[in-house]
Amino acid sequence: MSTLTFLGAVGEVTGSRYLLDVDGNDRSHKLLLECGLHQGGPDADQANATPFGGLARSLDAVVISHGHLDHAGLLPKLVREGYSGPIHCTNDTRDLMEIMLVDAAFVMAKDIEWQNRWRKKAGKPLIEPLYELADVERTLALCRTHAYGQPATLPGDVTLIYRDAGHILGSAIVELNVPSGGRQRRLVFSGDLGNPGSVLMKDPERIQDADLVLMESTYGDRDHRPLEDTIDEFARVLEEAHAAGGNVLIPAFAVGRTQEILYHLSVLHHEGRLKQRLVFLDSPMAIRVTELYNKKRKSLNRDDIKTLNVVAQGDPSQYLPGLRLTRSVEESMAINRIHGGAIIIAGAGMCNGGRILHHFRYNLAKASTRVIIVGFQAAGTLGRQLVDGAERVKVFGEELAVKARIHTIGGFSAHAGQRDLVAWAGAFRNAPRIYLVHGEPGAQQRLQETLAESGIEAGIPGYGERVTL
């Protein structure tokens, strides 16, 4: 019998990883579904640094649902430790990973350089990065890309089909038809399901047939506000910030959230509801991703693709007057001379690194500042501390008072809310086995209860748990 082992995103949102042992006719095969980075503090760092051991050299193939680092961010480490087989993904995911993994390697190198400088002075052993740019290049060379709905044959007579998950560019629901016990069994992994309220992405595809389902549960305990209410709340916070004379800081994920936020800011401007005259996109990676979204606009929701066009063509005045794309460190530093009236969109989305931290140093202690959280904040991250109401936080080792007002606007999330998750699970016929992954324990338990109220049973797996197909 073929088996599936849960190796990540169990009891947490990040670190996606599942091992599929396929009972083939000639020999068994090992397929890895996802290879994601853990995010959220020292425990996550330790998990990321743990060697793959013999797994890297024993795998026959890797399958990736989409390009976010918590799903694909450890691929270069896997390759560094000896993996040399195919990495399957969608066409657009491969292009996104080229941007994101290169950026991750660059940021990692800078962080390690800074840490080793301190360690050398303290007489402590030096540390190495999880991977380097050369590992990223080898990883990208192993990618085998597929269009949505295009069947592909994997080792062990496994058939792979990708469906549109509507989460970010290239995101996919993974269907794997796997031989097990003399029959074909269908394993469906939701990946990250998109928010149907998204203006740029299509709605996630509904699937009817499966034997085993892995479903994300990030927002399993709540629904998002309707988009119209979300936009009104966003506009109100921006207006309050303008009246208070402060800056607005938006820690935004480079892929998906940034592009949606830019779209909504442009709409507010054209409706006469945006008072701020300066908007900074202070993230080289987010700028590159926005340019990629423009190139790939046929993959997006066709009603809204026109809104991204001018950003990539270098004429933001037609798109969002006042928008400044700051690529260099010097341009980013210059923003901190602006004491009010600006909107600053910067990474990282969970505030666990990136340029947003520098803007926190200059703005977080001001009562006139508004911080708008637009995406999920994993436990252990600085973003989660702010959402939870921390009065003081550490930024670059310096303790800062949090006098800024923190606003969480969940309607901009790229994830499906509880109601959407229940509807997606309810589309399956013949009651497949469902396991909830990619969620914190409270969210998973609440979703499990809500699914049960609709007559749908779902299990919550533990780390290392193995199930048969």
Side-chain angles (χ1 to χ4, degrees):
M1 299 288 284
S2 297
T3 63
L4 180 79
T5 307
F6 297 88
L7 298 179
V10 177
E12 63 171 318
V13 172
T14 65
S16 189
R17 195 189 311 168
Y18 314 96
L19 178 63
L20 186 60
D21 285 286
V22 182
D23 182 21
N25 293 326
D26 52 346
R27 68 176 182 89
S28 61
H29 295 82
K30 289 184 179 293
L31 309 181
L32 190 65
L33 176 57
E34 309 280 79
C35 192
L37 195 73
H38 296 267
Q39 297 169 311
D43 290 344
D45 293 340
Q46 185 175 350
N48 291 330
T50 303
F52 287 101
L55 182 64
R57 296 184 183 276
S58 66
L59 292 172
D60 295 288
V62 176
V63 177
I64 299 297
S65 69
H66 67 284
H68 271 149
L69 293 181
D70 61 326
H71 291 257
L74 285 186
L75 281 173
K77 181 173 182 283
L78 188 73
V79 171
R80 186 184 181 96
E81 294 186 20
Y83 179 70
S84 59
I87 297 172
H88 297 274
C89 58
T90 65
N91 302 309
D92 293 340
T93 291
R94 191 268 175 216
D95 292 337
L96 263 182
M97 287 199 303
E98 182 171 2
I99 296 173
M100 300 192 72
L101 295 178
V102 166
D103 183 82
F106 175 79
V107 171
M108 202 180 302
K110 289 292 183 183
D111 287 346
I112 294 295
E113 180 184 355
W114 181 85
Q115 289 185 49
N116 280 341
R117 201 178 301 137
W118 172 82
R119 284 175 169 271
K120 189 174 182 179
K121 290 180 181 178
K124 295 192 174 185
L126 303 184
I127 55 178
E128 292 187 359
L130 298 178
Y131 50 82
E132 297 172 318
L133 186 57
D135 303 311
V136 173
E137 291 172 347
R138 288 199 296 273
T139 299
L140 295 171
L142 296 175
C143 287
R144 304 292 180 267
T145 62
H146 312 281
Y148 293 129
Q150 175 190 40
T153 301
L154 308 188
D157 293 325
V158 175
T159 302
L160 162 69
I161 301 177
Y162 283 122
R163 309 291 184 188
D164 194 343
H167 175 58
I168 61 169
L169 185 68
S171 62
I173 298 162
V174 179
E175 284 187 39
L176 292 171
N177 291 292
V178 183
S180 180
R183 292 180 53 191
Q184 285 294 118
R185 307 284 182 173
R186 181 170 294 180
L187 166 65
V188 173
F189 171 49
S190 69
D192 282 348
L193 295 172
N195 182 351
S198 168
V199 294
L200 298 181
M201 303 307 302
K202 298 173 183 176
D203 289 351
E205 289 189 47
R206 300 280 178 91
I207 299 173
Q208 294 185 326
D209 297 313
D211 296 293
L212 181 68
V213 177
L214 309 183
M215 186 173 77
E216 69 120 320
S217 53
T218 308
Y219 285 94
D221 56 347
R222 58 196 185 276
D223 285 314
H224 304 308
R225 297 183 70 182
L227 184 59
E228 186 176 342
D229 294 345
T230 297
I231 300 302
D232 288 341
E233 182 183 4
F234 187 41
R236 187 167 60 252
V237 173
L238 295 177
E239 190 169 345
E240 288 175 5
H242 177 74
N247 290 324
V248 177
L249 306 184
I250 305 179
F253 297 87
V255 183
R257 295 311 82 211
T258 291
Q259 292 73 40
E260 295 259 350
I261 292 299
L262 288 175
Y263 168 81
H264 291 301
L265 285 173
S266 71
V267 171
L268 290 176
H269 164 74
H270 290 293
E271 291 178 349
R273 302 169 69 189
L274 183 64
K275 302 290 179 62
Q276 284 83 356
R277 293 290 177 261
L278 285 174
V279 178
F280 293 96
L281 178 52
D282 188 28
S283 167
M285 182 169 69
I287 293 169
R288 291 194 295 272
V289 171
T290 303
E291 292 170 345
L292 179 63
Y293 264 59
N294 175 64
K295 292 176 184 175
K296 302 279 188 176
R297 55 189 182 274
K298 288 184 179 179
S299 300
L300 303 176
N301 185 336
R302 292 180 179 273
D303 292 337
D304 298 289
I305 54 175
K306 60 183 181 298
T307 62
L308 289 174
N309 190 38
V310 250
V311 176
Q313 304 209 356
D315 188 7
S317 63
Q318 296 180 38
Y319 170 74
L320 179 59
L323 177 63
R324 302 289 182 268
L325 309 180
T326 56
R327 300 175 193 266
S328 71
V329 173
E330 292 75 18
E331 289 173 314
S332 177
M333 292 172 63
I335 297 173
N336 291 318
R337 294 197 289 267
I338 300 172
H339 300 293
I343 297 172
I344 305 165
I345 305 168
M350 293 188 191
C351 313
N352 54 342
R355 293 183 177 181
I356 193 66
L357 297 183
H358 295 278
H359 299 304
F360 279 169
R361 288 183 66 190
Y362 287 88
N363 293 276
L364 209 53
K366 297 177 182 177
S368 60
T369 300
R370 301 293 184 269
V371 178
I372 301 179
I373 303 293
V374 296
F376 183 82
Q377 305 298 307
T381 62
L382 175 57
R384 183 62 165 268
Q385 293 178 48
L386 294 174
V387 169
D388 288 345
E391 295 182 356
R392 304 188 73 84
V393 295
K394 277 194 174 182
V395 176
F396 297 124
E398 177 185 356
E399 193 170 87
L400 298 177
V402 182
K403 295 183 179 178
R405 292 190 184 179
I406 314 299
H407 300 267
T408 300
I409 302 183
F412 288 139
S413 173
H415 288 265
Q418 185 192 79
R419 185 185 299 109
D420 306 313
L421 292 170
V422 172
W424 189 81
F428 288 101
R429 302 180 293 200
N430 303 322
R433 282 181 293 159
I434 297 178
Y435 290 93
L436 303 182
V437 294
H438 282 279
E440 294 181 351
Q444 290 184 321
Q445 291 165 11
R446 187 69 191 101
L447 180 58
Q448 184 184 47
E449 294 165 0
T450 305
L451 286 167
E453 292 168 4
S454 299
I456 302 170
E457 292 187 14
I460 300 175
Y463 179 82
E465 184 173 335
R466 179 177 295 179
V467 297
T468 58
L469 272 66

